Amino acid sequence: AMVFSRIRAVTTHASILSGCRRSPSFLISPTMRRPVFRESSHRNGFKIGFVRFFSELTALHDDTDASMDHKRPSCSEYDFSSRVLARKSDGGLRQRRPIKSLLILGDGDLSFGSLVTRLSNERSGTFSPDTDITVTVLEERDRHSKIYGRSRLNERTIVDGGGRTQYGVDATRLSEFVVGRYDRVQFNFPHWQGKNNNRRNRQLIADMLKSAMEVLTEPVVDSVTASSSPDDVSYIVPPGEIHVALVEHQGGVTSRSDQEWKMSWMVPVHAAAAGLLQVGLEPFQVSYSRASYRGVDKPFHVKEMPQLHIFAKSDGVLECPKSLQLCCRFELHISLPPQKDENCWNDTKTKRRQLSRDEILDAYIIRSHVQPLMPRGMEADVSFAGVFTRGQVDCDGLSSAAHLIVLRGVRRPVVREECDALRAKIEEAMLEICSLRGDKTGRMVSKPIPYDLLRRKWEADENNGVDARSWGSR
């Protein structure tokens, strides 16, 4: 009550001084702890305004404005080392290696590049002493300086710090604009210049990932471990990485429902189509200006927690964490022999033993025949879905056992066309040891979705009849 009495007294005094007849109003600024008073009226053709502050004038600046220097991040907030472990030069244990070259794409008003250059010059944290930093934007230099008020200031900071700025660079055609290879290509919050449109943003992501892959550093494998299993292979020079910062639900890999997945940009799918594997997902600390809202000098808001999606070129060695894997699925319907007489399933032409009824119903047995058909880096999960009967059960296979086959990429990108070729290969191989239901073969596999999303879908359905014991088996 005392506070608002003071508010009323101050604003009434302001009204008397300005000759205002309207009642005073006040607002609470997002960055202020106390109210801001505003009063305006027209007198003698002049607009008289009164603003009284109960805190510093700088508190009027929006927290998303271009001024973020007062909140300097520590070097730990931006990790500029490779996420793929490399072996020490003395042959010691594997560790992260500081990157030596960084290409920043679509950097708005150049504020992120300016911040990174300053951190690099401090020679602390995870920076290499000779890190080569190149910062690019789509606009030409003159147009960029007209759009962004801090353009020249940030450019000077980058150049004085030993970095480079490059204008007029199309992130979807990098090979035409940049020279050399980079340990990391980073694009923070990519968005086409217009209102939110998933189709256009997906196309931008797909084209950018394909383009960035062409300028990544090629890995150098330790010759001592080259012939070892993928888990034991070491890199002298780790492969280049692509880092893409997105709002939490844009990427799609953490989707918790079909609707959320369909509304996302499906970034892992486009990365897989480009031959990339997602090797990491981390929180992303935004401690720089975000002054690039639809191509104008206006900050955009990050409502959800930003995430950093990390991709690298698939080489059969890198492994995608299970929580980030993609998968395709299809159903394998195997005709069941009658319980009384299994001899009718013996193959008299090939003399090859056919699967018994109990073996057909066992998901582990089916997986033992499916997994050897997988290429290196692919895993197959098999779940028994149930027995389906049509009419009278006899040797014609009117009764069949359905198994859900899930093909997921561990060290290999999941592409629908390649998975469908695997489906055809599996069906052909299974025909040699059992009989498949004809009307259920030849059907294309599902579109790729996150493996975790598929697991949640099945676990949430208590009446699906799937044997949960076989999920992720072996």
Side-chain angles (χ1 to χ4, degrees):
M2 293 179 62
V3 172
F4 281 97
S5 296
R6 178 60 179 165
I7 291 173
R8 190 178 298 108
V10 172
T11 54
T12 302
H13 179 63
S15 301
I16 294 173
L17 292 178
S18 61
C20 179
R21 297 180 181 177
R22 298 172 57 187
S23 59
S25 61
F26 68 92
L27 57 90
I28 303 295
S29 174
T31 56
M32 295 182 61
R33 296 183 179 179
R34 299 184 179 182
V36 178
F37 300 93
R38 291 185 178 178
E39 189 77 47
S40 63
S41 66
H42 290 274
R43 183 181 181 185
N44 299 328
F46 295 94
K47 186 175 182 180
I48 302 175
F50 175 79
V51 179
R52 183 176 180 88
F53 300 98
F54 283 98
S55 58
E56 296 79 9
L57 181 63
T58 54
L60 277 177
H61 291 199
D62 195 301
D63 61 344
T64 58
D65 201 358
S67 178
M68 294 293 292
D69 293 346
H70 65 281
K71 188 182 177 183
R72 287 293 303 280
S74 64
C75 289
S76 61
E77 292 181 0
Y78 293 108
D79 187 353
F80 290 94
S81 61
S82 171
R83 299 305 193 270
V84 180
L85 301 181
R87 189 174 295 279
K88 290 183 178 180
S89 57
D90 59 359
L93 296 176
R94 290 182 291 180
Q95 65 176 6
R96 286 188 175 186
R97 170 180 174 269
I99 63 173
K100 296 185 177 180
S101 55
L102 170 64
L103 176 64
I104 301 174
L105 305 177
D107 191 21
D109 65 347
L110 302 175
S111 57
F112 182 68
S114 174
L115 171 63
V116 169
T117 305
R118 291 199 303 268
L119 292 178
S120 176
N121 288 332
E122 292 175 2
R123 297 291 189 266
S124 59
T126 56
F127 274 98
S128 172
D130 56 347
T131 303
D132 179 36
I133 301 174
T134 303
V135 186
T136 70
V137 292
L138 180 62
E139 300 85 359
E140 296 295 340
R141 188 170 185 269
D142 291 340
R143 176 172 173 76
H144 190 271
S145 61
K146 292 179 181 179
I147 296 176
Y148 301 102
R150 295 171 63 90
S151 172
R152 295 297 170 87
L153 175 62
N154 288 330
E155 178 189 28
R156 186 161 57 252
T157 302
I158 295 170
V159 174
D160 291 347
R164 294 189 302 274
T165 57
Q166 195 168 342
Y167 297 88
V169 176
D170 186 346
T172 64
R173 297 184 291 119
L174 290 177
S175 60
E176 301 178 16
F177 299 94
V178 299
V179 179
R181 298 277 179 168
Y182 294 88
D183 292 344
R184 179 184 299 179
V185 178
Q186 184 152 345
F187 200 164
N188 296 339
F189 306 107
H191 198 287
W192 85 288
Q193 292 184 349
K195 293 183 178 181
N196 189 28
N197 185 307
N198 283 350
R199 181 177 61 84
R200 292 182 182 272
N201 284 318
R202 289 169 184 168
Q203 190 61 50
L204 171 63
I205 288 289
D207 295 341
M208 183 275 295
L209 290 173
K210 292 179 182 178
S211 174
M213 189 181 67
E214 299 176 359
V215 298
L216 290 179
T217 300
E218 293 292 339
V220 178
V221 177
D222 187 351
S223 58
V224 177
T225 62
S227 58
S228 306
S229 66
D231 291 331
D232 298 327
V233 172
S234 297
Y235 292 102
I236 298 176
V237 177
E241 300 170 355
I242 302 174
H243 290 214
V244 184
L246 296 169
V247 176
E248 183 177 4
H249 300 294
Q250 287 178 339
V253 69
T254 58
S255 298
R256 294 186 172 274
S257 66
D258 284 338
Q259 181 66 16
E260 190 175 321
W261 167 249
K262 292 175 182 178
M263 293 301 294
S264 74
W265 295 358
M266 302 181 179
V267 177
V269 174
H270 301 300
L276 297 167
L277 202 65
Q278 184 158 3
V279 296
L281 180 68
E282 303 173 359
F284 183 68
Q285 179 69 35
V286 183
S287 299
Y288 66 97
S289 165
R290 300 184 297 277
S292 180
Y293 179 73
R294 297 180 184 174
V296 298
D297 194 358
K298 177 183 177 181
F300 61 90
H301 299 270
V302 180
K303 297 179 181 180
E304 294 86 1
M305 175 63 69
Q307 295 175 325
L308 192 65
H309 298 253
I310 304 171
F311 304 94
K313 188 176 180 179
S314 172
D315 59 357
V317 176
L318 294 176
E319 181 174 345
C320 177
K322 201 167 188 177
S323 60
L324 305 179
Q325 293 173 8
L326 289 178
C327 68
C328 291
R329 66 190 186 279
F330 70 98
E331 291 183 358
L332 187 67
H333 289 256
I334 305 176
S335 299
L336 286 170
Q339 296 182 4
K340 296 182 179 180
D341 184 13
E342 294 190 359
N343 294 327
C344 61
W345 278 145
N346 291 334
D347 194 332
T348 57
K349 295 182 179 179
T350 63
K351 303 298 182 181
R352 185 171 181 176
R353 177 185 175 277
Q354 302 289 287
L355 294 179
S356 67
R357 184 184 184 90
D358 291 339
E359 290 173 331
I360 292 175
L361 296 175
D362 192 333
Y364 294 103
I365 298 295
I366 299 302
R367 187 182 186 277
S368 67
H369 291 279
V370 171
Q371 182 58 41
L373 303 175
M374 296 294 100
R376 182 178 180 179
M378 291 287 292
E379 292 285 337
D381 287 341
V382 180
S383 291
F384 174 68
V387 176
F388 299 89
T389 304
R390 297 183 302 161
Q392 184 180 0
V393 180
D394 53 23
C395 291
D396 294 331
L398 295 181
S399 180
S400 62
H403 292 275
L404 178 67
I405 313 295
V406 180
L407 309 177
R408 56 186 177 90
V410 180
R411 290 186 170 89
R412 188 183 184 94
V414 172
V415 180
R416 189 183 189 188
E417 290 72 19
E418 295 181 2
C419 287
D420 194 59
L422 286 176
R423 186 267 314 155
K425 184 178 180 180
I426 292 171
E427 290 179 347
E428 182 181 357
M430 294 300 293
L431 281 172
E432 297 181 3
I433 56 175
C434 61
S435 177
L436 301 181
R437 183 171 159 179
D439 61 336
K440 294 293 185 179
T441 59
R443 296 186 175 186
M444 192 169 190
V445 298
S446 68
K447 294 180 180 180
I449 64 171
Y451 183 64
D452 260 10
L453 175 59
L454 181 63
R455 288 172 61 94
R456 282 191 289 267
K457 287 173 58 178
W458 281 99
E459 291 171 357
D461 188 358
E462 298 178 354
N463 300 318
N464 53 60
V466 174
D467 183 3
R469 294 174 303 172
S470 60
W471 274 102
S473 59
R474 300 184 185 182

